[in-house]
Amino acid sequence: MTTHTVHPPPAGVIIPAGGSGSRFGHATPKQFLDLAGTPVLVRTCRAFLEVAAIRLVVVAVPAAHREAALALLSLHLDADALARLRVTVGGATRQDSVRAGLRELPADIGLVLVHDAARPLIDRATIERCLEATHRFGAAIAAVPVTDTLKQVDPDGRILRTVDRSGLWQAQTPQGARRNLLERASAEADRTGLVCTDEAALLEAAGIPVQVVEGSERNLKITRPGDLQVAAALLEEALPMRIGHGFDAHRLVTGRKLILGGVTIEYELGLDGHSDADVVAHALTDALLGALGLGDIGRHFPDSDPAYKGIDSLLLLTRVAQLTDERGWRLGNADLTIVCQRPRLAPHLAAMQTNLARACRVEPGAINIKATTTEKMGYTGRGEGISAHAVVLLKESAWK
Ligand code: MG
C-alpha cells in the first residue's frame, strides 16, 4: 500500500492596485512611488514571485494605469518573473478588482491569496504561513494582535470607555481562500450589495470560517507620506552587509609609467609590477574580494599568468565588480587612502574617483579617495614606493 501526500493545489495571488493616492497628497498613486530605490508595487510583486508555490500573480489596476504598471514591472523584473505575472484592468471597488483578478487565474489554480499593493514589506514566512493555513482550513488571513490600549471616543474627543483588547487582532494581508469559497463569497456579496474593506469580511458574511495566522509588525500598509520613510528605515535595518579591507604596495622604479586609479601621472618614476602596478585599483579590488570572502587578487589573477602582464588593473577591478554583482552584492561605498610622498596627487583624485566608480558601476559619490604622505618616514616617505588602503561596504543587491 502506498501513502499519498496531499499536495496543495497551485496558488495564485491577486493584488488590487487601484488606490488613487488621494490620502497621500500625491498625483502618482502610492503603489508606483519609489521605496528605497524600487517602486512599491515592484517590491510587493517580487515578494510573492519569490515563493515557488505561487504560480501566477495578477495585478489589477485602473485602465488608466495599466500601461504605466506594465512598463514599471517590465523594467524591474526579469523574464522568469514576468512570465508568472499578469496586469489586468480592475474595477471601481476592491471587490470588483478581486473579481477581475479571479477571472485571470487559470482553472487549475485552487488557492487564492489577495494582497494589498501598498504592503511591500510582506515577507516570505508570512506568505507561506498564510498559504499553508488557507490550504488546511479553507480560508486564512495574516493579522497581528492589538497591543495598544483601545478607547472608544465620542465626537467631542471624550473617552466613552476602554475597550477590552483581548481577542482583538488587526487584519493585514495576504488574505487567502480556496478559490471556490472566495468566488462564492464574492458572488453573494454581489447579490446582496455588501461592500467590504477586506476579503475576510466577505467570507465571514458568507458564513465561511476564516483562520487567523500570525502576520508581521513590519508588514505595514503605506497610506500616508511618512509611511514610506518608515518602510525605508525598516529596509535599511534588515539590509545584509559585508565589509572588506584591501592593502597594496609597489616599488617606484625608473622606466615605468606611474598609474594610480587608472590615471597616468607625469613623474620620473613609475610603479613596478607584473600588471600596470596600479596600487589604488589593486587595494580596492582586494577589498571587494575580501568582502566577498573570495581571497585576494593574486588568487584570481596570478602574476605567473602571462595574460595579466602589463594589464590595465581597472579591467581586473571591473571583473571583480561583475563577480560582486553575480554573487548578489553591490558596492555601498568605498574609502581609499593613498600613501605617497611624491608626486602630489591632489590634482588627480577626481579623475581616479571617476575611473574607479565607472569600473564598479556606482555613482562617483560612493567612492572616496584620500592621499597622504608619511612625513618622509618609512619606505613611502623615502619615496621608495607607494601604498594604498581601501575599505568597502557591500549591500545585498536584492534590496536595491
Ligand atoms: Mg598589487
Side-chain angles (χ1 to χ4, degrees):
M1 203 180 103
T2 52
T3 52
H4 295 276
T5 312
V6 181
H7 287 291
V13 178
I14 299 170
I15 299 178
S20 64
S22 53
R23 257 183 298 181
F24 216 77
H26 260 282
T28 311
K30 62 196 175 196
Q31 58 272 22
F32 294 151
L33 292 176
D34 181 275
L35 167 56
T38 305
V40 168
L41 180 61
V42 173
R43 286 186 181 276
T44 304
C45 290
R46 200 176 266 162
F48 288 92
L49 291 164
E50 278 168 6
V51 177
I54 289 165
R55 179 79 60 84
L56 187 70
V57 173
V58 179
V59 180
V61 295
H65 295 158
R66 189 166 182 273
E67 288 308 310
L70 268 174
L72 201 67
L73 293 162
S74 306
L75 184 69
H76 286 87
L77 298 173
D78 62 24
D80 287 345
L82 288 169
R84 289 161 59 215
L85 186 81
R86 267 181 220 171
V87 178
T88 193
V89 173
T93 66
R94 181 185 178 96
Q95 276 161 247
D96 292 340
S97 292
V98 170
R99 213 173 285 121
L102 280 168
R103 282 195 295 271
E104 285 292 320
L105 294 175
D108 64 333
I109 298 259
L111 295 181
V112 182
L113 296 184
V114 179
H115 185 73
D116 299 328
R119 290 190 195 266
L121 300 190
I122 181 65
D123 59 285
R124 179 197 292 245
T126 303
I127 295 171
E128 288 177 344
R129 268 198 299 280
C130 207
L131 259 184
E132 208 264 334
T134 299
H135 175 51
R136 197 162 146 217
F137 298 103
I141 71 162
V144 289
V146 171
T147 54
D148 292 329
T149 301
L150 294 177
K151 305 290 183 190
Q152 189 172 15
V153 178
D154 73 13
D156 298 325
R158 204 168 299 123
I159 292 174
L160 294 171
R161 63 185 186 102
T162 297
V163 180
D164 178 13
R165 72 175 179 216
S166 61
L168 290 183
W169 291 63
Q170 283 173 264
Q172 300 185 333
T173 66
Q175 303 203 345
R178 284 185 202 135
R179 182 189 190 144
N180 59 330
L181 298 180
L182 185 58
E183 283 173 342
R184 197 178 95 203
S186 174
E188 270 188 42
D190 212 15
R191 209 179 56 238
T192 59
L194 175 74
V195 177
C196 298
T197 53
D198 72 352
E199 289 63 48
L202 281 186
L203 294 158
E204 291 159 39
I208 297 162
V210 181
Q211 180 71 27
V212 161
V213 299
E214 197 189 337
S216 162
E217 292 291 347
R218 294 171 52 94
N219 182 21
L220 61 92
K221 188 172 182 182
I222 290 169
T223 312
R224 294 157 302 222
D227 296 341
L228 270 178
Q229 274 80 55
V230 174
L234 286 168
L235 283 171
E236 286 297 326
E237 180 199 73
L239 204 64
M241 294 183 287
R242 293 184 71 106
I243 63 164
H245 166 258
F247 171 77
D248 196 26
H250 281 256
R251 192 181 289 277
L252 279 164
V253 295
T254 53
R256 292 269 302 181
K257 279 185 184 170
L258 176 60
I259 299 170
L260 295 172
V263 179
T264 304
I265 296 166
E266 207 59 50
Y267 191 52
E268 66 261 29
L269 304 173
L271 292 174
D272 196 20
H274 183 68
S275 65
D276 65 2
D278 184 338
V279 278
V280 178
H282 291 183
L284 181 54
T285 306
D286 257 349
L288 286 171
L289 288 169
L292 293 170
L294 291 176
D296 64 16
I297 193 168
R299 196 170 112 194
H300 292 263
F301 312 105
D303 61 10
S304 55
D305 188 337
Y308 305 122
K309 186 160 170 53
I311 197 169
D312 176 354
S313 297
L314 287 183
L315 289 177
L316 307 183
L317 177 60
T318 303
R319 279 193 218 168
V320 170
Q322 280 164 359
L323 188 63
T324 305
D325 188 49
E326 285 161 21
R327 296 279 169 138
W329 297 90
R330 67 187 167 93
L331 178 60
N333 74 304
D335 185 27
L336 295 95
T337 303
I338 311 171
V339 186
C340 172
Q341 193 67 41
R342 273 193 330 126
R344 214 171 84 78
L345 299 181
H348 306 291
L349 297 181
M352 293 184 205
Q353 182 188 26
T354 304
N355 288 342
L356 298 179
R358 192 175 297 143
C360 295
R361 290 189 296 166
V362 293
E363 293 298 313
I367 308 238
N368 186 71
I369 312 176
K370 312 180 293 297
T372 184
T373 72
T374 52
E375 305 275 341
K376 299 192 175 161
M377 295 179 287
Y379 65 90
T380 49
R382 291 188 297 271
E384 294 167 15
I386 295 175
S387 65
H389 301 258
V391 287
V392 297
L393 182 87
L394 300 187
K395 296 180 175 182
E396 206 173 73
S397 44
W399 295 95
K400 225 185 279 186

